[in-house]
C-alpha cells in the first residue's frame, strides 16, 4: 500500500530537478546574451573612437598636403621644406579655435627633374592625432603643372604659352639635351628615326619629290614632303637627365620611343620660317606604361603620303601655326601624284593614342559626295590617361603654378 506514495514522491523530486536545471540554463543563456551585448557596446564604442581617430589622422595628413602646396607656391623648386636637409619633415597641427596642438604630420618629398628643372613632385603626408599616435593615415599627392596631355582630341593651346614653351625647350636642349641647327640651304631638313634602345638616328634630307596636296586651310599646294634621298645618319643617345630634342628645321619622323621624350621642330632664329613635322611611319613606345612622346611643330604636323596602310601614332602632337592631318592626294586628274605613289593615296586605318592639338582644321579622311577618295578610311582617337598623369618634360600646359594632379590614400 506504500508503493504509490513512494512513486509520487519520486516524481515530484524529478519535476523539481528539471525546474532547477531549466532555471540554470535560462540564467546561463541570459548571462551569455548580456555579455555579448556588453561586448557589442564596447566594440561599437571602440569602433567609434577608432573612426574618430582615423578622421583626425586624415585631417592631419590633408593639412600636410595643403601646407606643401603653399610651400611650392612660394618656393617652386624646394623639395627639402626650407631646411636644406633630407626629410622626413614633421609639423604640428593646431586647433584654430583653441590654439592648442591636436595632431602632427610628417612629409616625405621626392621630385622629378629634367634639364635641371623640377617638373613634378610626389609628397607623402602621414598624419596622426596626438591623443592616439598609433592611429595614422597616409596620403599621397602628385604636384605638377597640368598639361595639354590631360585634354582629349582635338585640343587647343594659348599661343603665348606655346611660344614660351618653345623658347624654354630650345634653351634646355642647347644646355643639356640635343640641339640640331638648321640644315644647309641645299637640304630640306632631317629624317629622325627613334630606336627602342633609347637612341635616335638623324639624317639630312638631301632630295624630295614634289607632289600636289590639298588642305582645307591652304587649298592646293605643291609640297616637298616626299623624301627622295638622305645623307649619312648620325646616332644620338637621348640624354636621361634632359630628354628634349630641338631641331631648327623640318623633321620627317617615325620610330619607337624609349622613355619620356619631347621633340620640337621650330626656327626661332628667323621670323617667318616655320618648320613642320612629317610623320612617315608609326610612332610607338618601347614600353607599354613607362614611355611617352610629345612632338611640337612650329607650323604643321602632317601624315606623309607614304605612310603605312595601318598606322599608329602614340603621343601628343602639336601643330602651332598650321594644322594636323593628312592632305588630300589624287591618283588621277590635274593634281595626280606620280604613278609610283598612286597606290598610297587611299589608306586603311589610323589609330592615335594621346592628344592632338591643331590651330587649323584636322582632316585625315577625304570624301567626294559619299565616296572615299583619299586619306584614311577609318580613324580611332584614344586618350592616353597614363600620359596625362605623367607627360614628357615641358609638355605645354595652361598654368604656370604647381597644383594637385593626383591624390590618393595609401594603406
Amino acid at each position: 500500500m506504500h508503493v504509490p506514495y513512494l512513486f509520487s514522491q519520486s516524481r515530484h523530486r524529478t519535476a523539481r530537478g528539471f525546474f532547477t536545471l531549466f532555471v540554470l540554463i535560462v540564467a546561463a543563456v541570459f548571462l551569455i546574451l548580456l555579455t555579448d551585448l556588453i561586448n557589442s557596446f564596447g566594440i561599437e564604442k571602440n569602433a567609434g573612437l577608432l573612426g574618430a581617430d582615423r578622421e583626425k589622422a586624415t585631417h592631419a595628413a590633408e593639412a600636410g598636403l595643403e601646407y606643401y602646396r603653399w610651400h611650392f607656391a612660394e618656393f617652386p623648386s624646394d623639395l627639402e621644406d626650407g631646411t636644406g636637409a633630407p626629410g622626413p619633415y614633421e609639423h604640428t597641427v593646431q586647433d584654430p579655435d583653441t590654439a592648442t596642438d591636436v595632431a602632427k604630420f610628417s612629409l616625405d618629398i621626392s621630385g622629378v627633374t629634367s634639364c635641371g628643372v623640377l617638373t613634378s613632385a610626389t609628397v607623402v603626408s602621414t598624419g596622426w592625432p596626438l591623443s592616439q599616435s598609433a592611429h595614422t593615415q597616409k596620403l599621397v599627392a602628385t604636384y605638377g603643372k597640368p598639361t595639354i596631355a590631360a585634354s582629349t582630341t582635338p585640343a587647343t593651346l594659348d599661343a603665348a604659352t606655346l611660344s614660351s614653351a618653345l623658347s624654354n625647350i630650345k634653351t634646355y636642349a642647347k644646355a643639356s639635351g640635343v640641339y640640331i641647327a638648321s640644315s644647309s640651304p641645299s637640304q630640306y631638313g632631317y629624317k629622325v628615326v627613334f630606336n627602342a634602345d633609347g637612341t635616335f638616328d638623324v639624317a639630312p634630307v638631301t632630295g624630295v619629290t614634289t607632289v600636289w596636296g590639298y588642305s582645307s586651310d591652304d587649298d592646293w599646294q605643291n609640297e616637298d614632303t616626299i623624301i627622295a634621298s638622305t645623307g649619312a645618319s648620325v646616332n644620338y643617345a637621348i640624354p636621361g637627365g634632359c630628354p628634349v630634342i630641338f631641331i631648327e628645321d623640318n623633321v620627317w619622323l617615325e620610330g619607337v620611343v624609349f622613355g619620356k621624350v619631347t621633340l620640337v621642330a621650330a626656327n626661332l632664329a628667323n621670323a617667318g620660317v616655320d618648320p613642320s613635322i612629317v610623320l612617315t611611319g608609326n610612332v610607338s613606345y618601347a614600353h607599354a606604361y613607362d614611355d611617352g612622346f610629345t612632338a611640337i611643330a612650329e607650323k604643321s604636323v602632317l601624315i606623309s603620303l607614304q605612310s603605312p596602310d595601318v598606322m599608329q601614332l602614340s603621343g601628343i602632337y602639336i601643330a602651332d601655326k598650321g594644322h594636323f592631318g593628312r592632305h588630300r592626294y589624287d591618283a588621277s586628274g590635274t593634281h595626280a601624284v606620280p604613278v609610283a605613289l598612286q597606290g598610297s593615296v587611299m589608306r586603311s586605318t589610323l589609330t592615335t593614342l594621346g592628344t592632338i592639338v591643331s590651330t587649323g582644321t584636322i582632316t585625315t579622311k577625304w570624301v567626294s559626295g559619299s565616296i572615299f577618295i583619299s586619306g584614311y578610311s577609318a580613324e580611332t582617337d584614344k586618350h592616353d590617361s597614363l600620359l596625362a598623369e605623367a607627360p614628357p618634360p615641358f609638355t605645354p600646359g595652361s598654368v604656370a603654378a604647381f597644383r594637385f594632379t593626383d591624390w590618393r590614400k595609401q594603406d
Side-chain angles (χ1 to χ4, degrees):
M1 299 300 294
H2 296 288
V3 173
Y5 172 80
L6 291 174
F7 179 78
S8 63
Q9 186 180 46
S10 175
R11 184 170 57 185
H12 177 72
R13 289 176 179 175
T14 301
R16 186 169 59 185
F18 278 132
F19 178 76
T20 303
L21 180 61
F22 174 76
V23 170
L24 291 174
I25 291 173
V26 170
V29 171
F30 175 76
L31 288 173
I32 292 172
L33 293 176
L34 181 61
T35 301
D36 288 343
L37 183 61
I38 293 172
N39 288 338
S40 68
F41 285 147
I43 290 172
E44 289 182 6
K45 181 179 179 181
N46 290 336
L49 293 173
L50 179 61
D53 288 336
R54 284 178 176 172
E55 185 176 359
K56 292 176 183 178
T58 300
H59 290 328
E62 289 173 344
L65 296 183
E66 289 297 332
Y67 160 73
Y68 222 80
R69 178 164 62 175
W70 166 85
H71 189 86
F72 269 134
E74 298 293 321
F75 310 99
S77 300
D78 183 22
L79 300 175
E80 297 176 329
D81 197 19
T83 66
Y89 310 100
E90 190 172 296
H91 294 268
T92 300
V93 180
Q94 286 190 336
D95 185 324
D97 296 326
T98 63
T100 57
D101 297 341
V102 294
K104 285 189 175 183
F105 60 80
S106 177
L107 301 175
D108 287 292
I109 308 164
S110 60
V112 176
T113 300
S114 296
C115 311
V117 178
L118 181 69
T119 55
S120 67
T122 299
V123 179
V124 180
S125 178
T126 304
W128 64 92
L130 295 181
S131 59
Q132 288 289 344
S133 59
H135 294 165
T136 63
Q137 179 63 66
K138 187 174 292 186
L139 302 179
V140 182
T142 301
Y143 288 90
K145 298 176 182 179
T147 72
I148 198 66
S151 302
T152 56
T153 299
T156 58
L157 268 174
D158 177 73
T161 299
L162 190 50
S163 176
S164 176
L166 295 181
S167 178
N168 289 337
I169 293 170
K170 180 178 179 178
T171 299
Y172 302 143
K174 295 184 78 171
S176 51
V178 177
Y179 171 79
I180 299 175
S182 179
S183 59
S184 69
S186 63
Q187 297 172 347
Y188 298 88
Y190 298 94
K191 175 67 179 292
V192 175
V193 179
F194 283 97
N195 305 309
D197 62 359
T199 67
F200 62 101
D201 299 316
V202 179
V205 176
T206 56
V208 298
T209 298
T210 302
V211 297
W212 283 102
Y214 176 88
S215 70
S216 301
D217 298 327
D218 301 321
D219 210 321
W220 286 103
Q221 297 280 336
N222 270 311
E223 59 181 60
D224 296 329
T225 55
I226 306 300
I227 296 177
S229 61
T230 61
S233 65
V234 177
N235 182 260
Y236 293 84
I238 299 172
C242 187
V244 298
I245 304 162
F246 193 100
I247 300 178
E248 208 124 24
D249 213 327
N250 294 313
V251 171
W252 282 259
L253 178 66
E254 63 184 71
V256 181
V257 177
F258 180 101
K260 301 284 178 70
V261 183
T262 298
L263 179 144
V264 172
N267 191 319
L268 304 185
N270 300 289
V273 179
D274 302 322
S276 292
I277 293 174
V278 181
L279 302 169
T280 54
N282 295 324
V283 179
S284 59
Y285 298 144
H287 309 95
Y289 300 104
D290 299 324
D291 302 334
F293 183 57
T294 295
I296 307 173
E298 192 174 17
K299 190 178 182 182
S300 295
V301 179
L302 305 175
I303 299 174
S304 172
L305 170 61
Q306 295 174 302
S307 61
D309 184 55
V310 177
M311 189 175 194
Q312 176 179 328
L313 298 173
S314 297
I316 304 161
Y317 296 90
I318 302 174
D320 182 7
K321 301 175 183 178
H323 56 269
F324 177 97
R326 192 179 196 263
H327 289 167
R328 170 184 166 180
Y329 301 106
D330 285 357
S332 61
T334 305
H335 302 106
V337 299
V339 174
L341 298 171
Q342 290 175 5
S344 299
V345 168
M346 291 188 288
R347 305 275 80 181
S348 174
T349 304
L350 171 66
T351 301
T352 66
L353 176 62
T355 302
I356 294 171
V357 181
S358 180
T359 301
T361 306
I362 299 175
T363 307
T364 59
K365 178 180 181 179
W366 298 90
V367 296
S368 178
S370 59
I371 301 174
F372 169 54
I373 60 171
S374 181
Y376 279 90
S377 175
E379 178 179 354
T380 301
D381 297 317
K382 301 178 182 178
H383 184 246
D384 190 341
S385 58
L386 295 177
L387 207 58
E389 293 177 4
F394 313 115
T395 297
S398 56
V399 298
F402 277 77
R403 61 176 59 179
F404 285 117
T405 57
D406 183 43
W407 183 98
R408 64 187 183 277
K409 287 185 178 182
Q410 181 173 309
D411 296 331

PDB file of all heavy atoms in Angstrom, residues 357-383:
ATOM      1  N   VAL A 357      46.755  68.546 -80.950  1.00  0.00           N
ATOM      2  CA  VAL A 357      46.494  69.983 -80.820  1.00  0.00           C
ATOM      3  C   VAL A 357      46.734  70.611 -82.181  1.00  0.00           C
ATOM      4  O   VAL A 357      47.805  70.444 -82.770  1.00  0.00           O
ATOM      5  CB  VAL A 357      47.424  70.628 -79.778  1.00  0.00           C
ATOM      6  CG1 VAL A 357      47.114  72.113 -79.635  1.00  0.00           C
ATOM      7  CG2 VAL A 357      47.302  69.917 -78.436  1.00  0.00           C
ATOM      8  N   SER A 358      45.744  71.329 -82.679  1.00  0.00           N
ATOM      9  CA  SER A 358      45.864  71.910 -84.017  1.00  0.00           C
ATOM     10  C   SER A 358      45.179  73.261 -84.069  1.00  0.00           C
ATOM     11  O   SER A 358      44.019  73.391 -83.657  1.00  0.00           O
ATOM     12  CB  SER A 358      45.246  70.976 -85.063  1.00  0.00           C
ATOM     13  OG  SER A 358      45.338  71.515 -86.354  1.00  0.00           O
ATOM     14  N   THR A 359      45.907  74.255 -84.575  1.00  0.00           N
ATOM     15  CA  THR A 359      45.302  75.564 -84.779  1.00  0.00           C
ATOM     16  C   THR A 359      44.306  75.508 -85.930  1.00  0.00           C
ATOM     17  O   THR A 359      43.223  76.081 -85.867  1.00  0.00           O
ATOM     18  CB  THR A 359      46.384  76.616 -85.067  1.00  0.00           C
ATOM     19  OG1 THR A 359      47.290  76.650 -83.966  1.00  0.00           O
ATOM     20  CG2 THR A 359      45.770  77.993 -85.277  1.00  0.00           C
ATOM     21  N   GLY A 360      44.685  74.789 -86.996  1.00  0.00           N
ATOM     22  CA  GLY A 360      43.832  74.677 -88.175  1.00  0.00           C
ATOM     23  C   GLY A 360      42.957  73.444 -88.143  1.00  0.00           C
ATOM     24  O   GLY A 360      42.825  72.744 -87.126  1.00  0.00           O
ATOM     25  N   THR A 361      42.356  73.150 -89.288  1.00  0.00           N
ATOM     26  CA  THR A 361      41.410  72.040 -89.425  1.00  0.00           C
ATOM     27  C   THR A 361      42.134  70.699 -89.411  1.00  0.00           C
ATOM     28  O   THR A 361      43.146  70.519 -90.086  1.00  0.00           O
ATOM     29  CB  THR A 361      40.623  72.174 -90.736  1.00  0.00           C
ATOM     30  OG1 THR A 361      40.020  73.474 -90.785  1.00  0.00           O
ATOM     31  CG2 THR A 361      39.557  71.106 -90.837  1.00  0.00           C
ATOM     32  N   ILE A 362      41.600  69.753 -88.639  1.00  0.00           N
ATOM     33  CA  ILE A 362      42.148  68.397 -88.595  1.00  0.00           C
ATOM     34  C   ILE A 362      41.368  67.524 -89.572  1.00  0.00           C
ATOM     35  O   ILE A 362      40.159  67.328 -89.409  1.00  0.00           O
ATOM     36  CB  ILE A 362      42.053  67.809 -87.182  1.00  0.00           C
ATOM     37  CG1 ILE A 362      42.857  68.656 -86.189  1.00  0.00           C
ATOM     38  CG2 ILE A 362      42.550  66.368 -87.168  1.00  0.00           C
ATOM     39  CD1 ILE A 362      42.711  68.202 -84.748  1.00  0.00           C
ATOM     40  N   THR A 363      42.057  67.011 -90.574  1.00  0.00           N
ATOM     41  CA  THR A 363      41.405  66.131 -91.550  1.00  0.00           C
ATOM     42  C   THR A 363      42.354  65.006 -91.921  1.00  0.00           C
ATOM     43  O   THR A 363      43.507  65.249 -92.292  1.00  0.00           O
ATOM     44  CB  THR A 363      41.014  66.889 -92.826  1.00  0.00           C
ATOM     45  OG1 THR A 363      40.242  68.041 -92.484  1.00  0.00           O
ATOM     46  CG2 THR A 363      40.198  65.995 -93.749  1.00  0.00           C
ATOM     47  N   THR A 364      41.872  63.774 -91.834  1.00  0.00           N
ATOM     48  CA  THR A 364      42.671  62.620 -92.259  1.00  0.00           C
ATOM     49  C   THR A 364      41.919  61.757 -93.272  1.00  0.00           C
ATOM     50  O   THR A 364      42.474  60.792 -93.789  1.00  0.00           O
ATOM     51  CB  THR A 364      43.052  61.744 -91.050  1.00  0.00           C
ATOM     52  OG1 THR A 364      41.857  61.290 -90.400  1.00  0.00           O
ATOM     53  CG2 THR A 364      43.910  62.515 -90.066  1.00  0.00           C
ATOM     54  N   LYS A 365      40.657  62.094 -93.541  1.00  0.00           N
ATOM     55  CA  LYS A 365      39.852  61.329 -94.495  1.00  0.00           C
ATOM     56  C   LYS A 365      39.148  62.300 -95.434  1.00  0.00           C
ATOM     57  O   LYS A 365      38.555  63.286 -94.991  1.00  0.00           O
ATOM     58  CB  LYS A 365      38.814  60.472 -93.758  1.00  0.00           C
ATOM     59  CG  LYS A 365      37.895  59.674 -94.670  1.00  0.00           C
ATOM     60  CD  LYS A 365      36.908  58.849 -93.854  1.00  0.00           C
ATOM     61  CE  LYS A 365      35.988  58.020 -94.755  1.00  0.00           C
ATOM     62  NZ  LYS A 365      35.047  57.187 -93.973  1.00  0.00           N
ATOM     63  N   TRP A 366      39.203  61.987 -96.728  1.00  0.00           N
ATOM     64  CA  TRP A 366      38.600  62.862 -97.730  1.00  0.00           C
ATOM     65  C   TRP A 366      37.566  62.081 -98.531  1.00  0.00           C
ATOM     66  O   TRP A 366      37.816  60.952 -98.963  1.00  0.00           O
ATOM     67  CB  TRP A 366      39.679  63.413 -98.675  1.00  0.00           C
ATOM     68  CG  TRP A 366      40.699  64.248 -97.944  1.00  0.00           C
ATOM     69  CD1 TRP A 366      41.862  63.819 -97.381  1.00  0.00           C
ATOM     70  CD2 TRP A 366      40.610  65.649 -97.678  1.00  0.00           C
ATOM     71  NE1 TRP A 366      42.517  64.856 -96.785  1.00  0.00           N
ATOM     72  CE2 TRP A 366      41.780  66.004 -96.950  1.00  0.00           C
ATOM     73  CE3 TRP A 366      39.679  66.639 -97.986  1.00  0.00           C
ATOM     74  CZ2 TRP A 366      42.022  67.301 -96.530  1.00  0.00           C
ATOM     75  CZ3 TRP A 366      39.931  67.931 -97.558  1.00  0.00           C
ATOM     76  CH2 TRP A 366      41.082  68.258 -96.838  1.00  0.00           C
ATOM     77  N   VAL A 367      36.391  62.687 -98.690  1.00  0.00           N
ATOM     78  CA  VAL A 367      35.321  62.069 -99.471  1.00  0.00           C
ATOM     79  C   VAL A 367      34.808  63.075-100.494  1.00  0.00           C
ATOM     80  O   VAL A 367      34.866  64.292-100.286  1.00  0.00           O
ATOM     81  CB  VAL A 367      34.159  61.597 -98.574  1.00  0.00           C
ATOM     82  CG1 VAL A 367      34.614  60.500 -97.626  1.00  0.00           C
ATOM     83  CG2 VAL A 367      33.564  62.759 -97.798  1.00  0.00           C
ATOM     84  N   SER A 368      34.335  62.541-101.582  1.00  0.00           N
ATOM     85  CA  SER A 368      33.674  63.357-102.608  1.00  0.00           C
ATOM     86  C   SER A 368      32.244  62.852-102.705  1.00  0.00           C
ATOM     87  O   SER A 368      31.984  61.741-103.163  1.00  0.00           O
ATOM     88  CB  SER A 368      34.385  63.217-103.957  1.00  0.00           C
ATOM     89  OG  SER A 368      33.723  63.974-104.951  1.00  0.00           O
ATOM     90  N   GLY A 369      31.304  63.690-102.238  1.00  0.00           N
ATOM     91  CA  GLY A 369      29.944  63.196-102.074  1.00  0.00           C
ATOM     92  C   GLY A 369      29.948  62.220-100.926  1.00  0.00           C
ATOM     93  O   GLY A 369      30.246  62.565 -99.792  1.00  0.00           O
ATOM     94  N   SER A 370      29.658  60.973-101.205  1.00  0.00           N
ATOM     95  CA  SER A 370      29.738  59.925-100.186  1.00  0.00           C
ATOM     96  C   SER A 370      30.831  58.915-100.512  1.00  0.00           C
ATOM     97  O   SER A 370      30.909  57.857 -99.884  1.00  0.00           O
ATOM     98  CB  SER A 370      28.388  59.209-100.072  1.00  0.00           C
ATOM     99  OG  SER A 370      28.031  58.636-101.324  1.00  0.00           O
ATOM    100  N   ILE A 371      31.673  59.256-101.480  1.00  0.00           N
ATOM    101  CA  ILE A 371      32.705  58.317-101.946  1.00  0.00           C
ATOM    102  C   ILE A 371      34.048  58.666-101.321  1.00  0.00           C
ATOM    103  O   ILE A 371      34.509  59.813-101.404  1.00  0.00           O
ATOM    104  CB  ILE A 371      32.809  58.343-103.484  1.00  0.00           C
ATOM    105  CG1 ILE A 371      31.466  57.962-104.108  1.00  0.00           C
ATOM    106  CG2 ILE A 371      33.915  57.392-103.956  1.00  0.00           C
ATOM    107  CD1 ILE A 371      31.441  58.105-105.620  1.00  0.00           C
ATOM    108  N   PHE A 372      34.681  57.702-100.686  1.00  0.00           N
ATOM    109  CA  PHE A 372      36.004  57.859-100.082  1.00  0.00           C
ATOM    110  C   PHE A 372      37.045  57.943-101.198  1.00  0.00           C
ATOM    111  O   PHE A 372      37.142  57.050-102.046  1.00  0.00           O
ATOM    112  CB  PHE A 372      36.285  56.668 -99.159  1.00  0.00           C
ATOM    113  CG  PHE A 372      37.697  56.562 -98.672  1.00  0.00           C
ATOM    114  CD1 PHE A 372      38.320  57.618 -98.025  1.00  0.00           C
ATOM    115  CD2 PHE A 372      38.408  55.379 -98.849  1.00  0.00           C
ATOM    116  CE1 PHE A 372      39.622  57.502 -97.570  1.00  0.00           C
ATOM    117  CE2 PHE A 372      39.705  55.252 -98.391  1.00  0.00           C
ATOM    118  CZ  PHE A 372      40.322  56.324 -97.751  1.00  0.00           C
ATOM    119  N   ILE A 373      37.853  59.019-101.195  1.00  0.00           N
ATOM    120  CA  ILE A 373      38.797  59.232-102.296  1.00  0.00           C
ATOM    121  C   ILE A 373      40.254  59.362-101.852  1.00  0.00           C
ATOM    122  O   ILE A 373      41.168  59.185-102.677  1.00  0.00           O
ATOM    123  CB  ILE A 373      38.422  60.488-103.118  1.00  0.00           C
ATOM    124  CG1 ILE A 373      38.436  61.732-102.225  1.00  0.00           C
ATOM    125  CG2 ILE A 373      37.066  60.298-103.807  1.00  0.00           C
ATOM    126  CD1 ILE A 373      38.282  63.032-103.014  1.00  0.00           C
ATOM    127  N   SER A 374      40.495  59.670-100.567  1.00  0.00           N
ATOM    128  CA  SER A 374      41.883  59.882-100.149  1.00  0.00           C
ATOM    129  C   SER A 374      41.984  59.860 -98.625  1.00  0.00           C
ATOM    130  O   SER A 374      41.010  60.132 -97.916  1.00  0.00           O
ATOM    131  CB  SER A 374      42.395  61.232-100.678  1.00  0.00           C
ATOM    132  OG  SER A 374      43.751  61.447-100.312  1.00  0.00           O
ATOM    133  N   GLY A 375      43.197  59.545 -98.135  1.00  0.00           N
ATOM    134  CA  GLY A 375      43.434  59.540 -96.695  1.00  0.00           C
ATOM    135  C   GLY A 375      43.137  58.199 -96.060  1.00  0.00           C
ATOM    136  O   GLY A 375      43.206  57.152 -96.715  1.00  0.00           O
ATOM    137  N   TYR A 376      42.758  58.228 -94.779  1.00  0.00           N
ATOM    138  CA  TYR A 376      42.480  57.000 -94.037  1.00  0.00           C
ATOM    139  C   TYR A 376      40.980  56.759 -93.961  1.00  0.00           C
ATOM    140  O   TYR A 376      40.215  57.624 -93.531  1.00  0.00           O
ATOM    141  CB  TYR A 376      43.081  57.070 -92.635  1.00  0.00           C
ATOM    142  CG  TYR A 376      44.562  56.749 -92.645  1.00  0.00           C
ATOM    143  CD1 TYR A 376      45.518  57.754 -92.823  1.00  0.00           C
ATOM    144  CD2 TYR A 376      45.001  55.440 -92.526  1.00  0.00           C
ATOM    145  CE1 TYR A 376      46.870  57.454 -92.855  1.00  0.00           C
ATOM    146  CE2 TYR A 376      46.347  55.123 -92.566  1.00  0.00           C
ATOM    147  CZ  TYR A 376      47.281  56.137 -92.733  1.00  0.00           C
ATOM    148  OH  TYR A 376      48.620  55.833 -92.776  1.00  0.00           O
ATOM    149  N   SER A 377      40.591  55.560 -94.361  1.00  0.00           N
ATOM    150  CA  SER A 377      39.172  55.215 -94.391  1.00  0.00           C
ATOM    151  C   SER A 377      38.561  55.199 -93.001  1.00  0.00           C
ATOM    152  O   SER A 377      37.416  55.594 -92.807  1.00  0.00           O
ATOM    153  CB  SER A 377      38.984  53.845 -95.052  1.00  0.00           C
ATOM    154  OG  SER A 377      37.647  53.436 -94.998  1.00  0.00           O
ATOM    155  N   ALA A 378      39.336  54.717 -92.003  1.00  0.00           N
ATOM    156  CA  ALA A 378      38.835  54.620 -90.624  1.00  0.00           C
ATOM    157  C   ALA A 378      39.863  55.213 -89.671  1.00  0.00           C
ATOM    158  O   ALA A 378      41.066  54.975 -89.812  1.00  0.00           O
ATOM    159  CB  ALA A 378      38.546  53.169 -90.259  1.00  0.00           C
ATOM    160  N   GLU A 379      39.367  55.992 -88.699  1.00  0.00           N
ATOM    161  CA  GLU A 379      40.266  56.587 -87.704  1.00  0.00           C
ATOM    162  C   GLU A 379      39.676  56.413 -86.314  1.00  0.00           C
ATOM    163  O   GLU A 379      38.478  56.598 -86.101  1.00  0.00           O
ATOM    164  CB  GLU A 379      40.483  58.077 -87.970  1.00  0.00           C
ATOM    165  CG  GLU A 379      41.379  58.744 -86.934  1.00  0.00           C
ATOM    166  CD  GLU A 379      41.619  60.216 -87.202  1.00  0.00           C
ATOM    167  OE1 GLU A 379      41.186  60.707 -88.266  1.00  0.00           O
ATOM    168  OE2 GLU A 379      42.228  60.882 -86.336  1.00  0.00           O
ATOM    169  N   THR A 380      40.562  56.053 -85.364  1.00  0.00           N
ATOM    170  CA  THR A 380      40.179  55.918 -83.963  1.00  0.00           C
ATOM    171  C   THR A 380      41.114  56.773 -83.126  1.00  0.00           C
ATOM    172  O   THR A 380      42.337  56.618 -83.192  1.00  0.00           O
ATOM    173  CB  THR A 380      40.265  54.461 -83.497  1.00  0.00           C
ATOM    174  OG1 THR A 380      39.414  53.646 -84.302  1.00  0.00           O
ATOM    175  CG2 THR A 380      39.844  54.338 -82.034  1.00  0.00           C
ATOM    176  N   ASP A 381      40.542  57.676 -82.340  1.00  0.00           N
ATOM    177  CA  ASP A 381      41.325  58.529 -81.441  1.00  0.00           C
ATOM    178  C   ASP A 381      41.096  58.085 -80.007  1.00  0.00           C
ATOM    179  O   ASP A 381      39.966  58.094 -79.524  1.00  0.00           O
ATOM    180  CB  ASP A 381      40.913  60.000 -81.595  1.00  0.00           C
ATOM    181  CG  ASP A 381      41.191  60.541 -82.989  1.00  0.00           C
ATOM    182  OD1 ASP A 381      42.277  60.241 -83.527  1.00  0.00           O
ATOM    183  OD2 ASP A 381      40.327  61.241 -83.540  1.00  0.00           O
ATOM    184  N   LYS A 382      42.170  57.714 -79.323  1.00  0.00           N
ATOM    185  CA  LYS A 382      42.089  57.272 -77.936  1.00  0.00           C
ATOM    186  C   LYS A 382      42.904  58.204 -77.052  1.00  0.00           C
ATOM    187  O   LYS A 382      44.023  58.570 -77.404  1.00  0.00           O
ATOM    188  CB  LYS A 382      42.622  55.835 -77.796  1.00  0.00           C
ATOM    189  CG  LYS A 382      41.887  54.807 -78.627  1.00  0.00           C
ATOM    190  CD  LYS A 382      42.523  53.436 -78.464  1.00  0.00           C
ATOM    191  CE  LYS A 382      41.835  52.386 -79.314  1.00  0.00           C
ATOM    192  NZ  LYS A 382      42.491  51.052 -79.196  1.00  0.00           N
ATOM    193  N   HIS A 383      42.317  58.571 -75.913  1.00  0.00           N
ATOM    194  CA  HIS A 383      43.042  59.410 -74.969  1.00  0.00           C
ATOM    195  C   HIS A 383      43.942  58.545 -74.095  1.00  0.00           C
ATOM    196  O   HIS A 383      43.548  57.463 -73.671  1.00  0.00           O
ATOM    197  CB  HIS A 383      42.072  60.193 -74.091  1.00  0.00           C
ATOM    198  CG  HIS A 383      42.742  61.142 -73.156  1.00  0.00           C
ATOM    199  ND1 HIS A 383      42.710  60.990 -71.789  1.00  0.00           N
ATOM    200  CD2 HIS A 383      43.490  62.243 -73.391  1.00  0.00           C
ATOM    201  CE1 HIS A 383      43.393  61.957 -71.225  1.00  0.00           C
ATOM    202  NE2 HIS A 383      43.877  62.733 -72.168  1.00  0.00           N
TER     203      HIS A 383
END
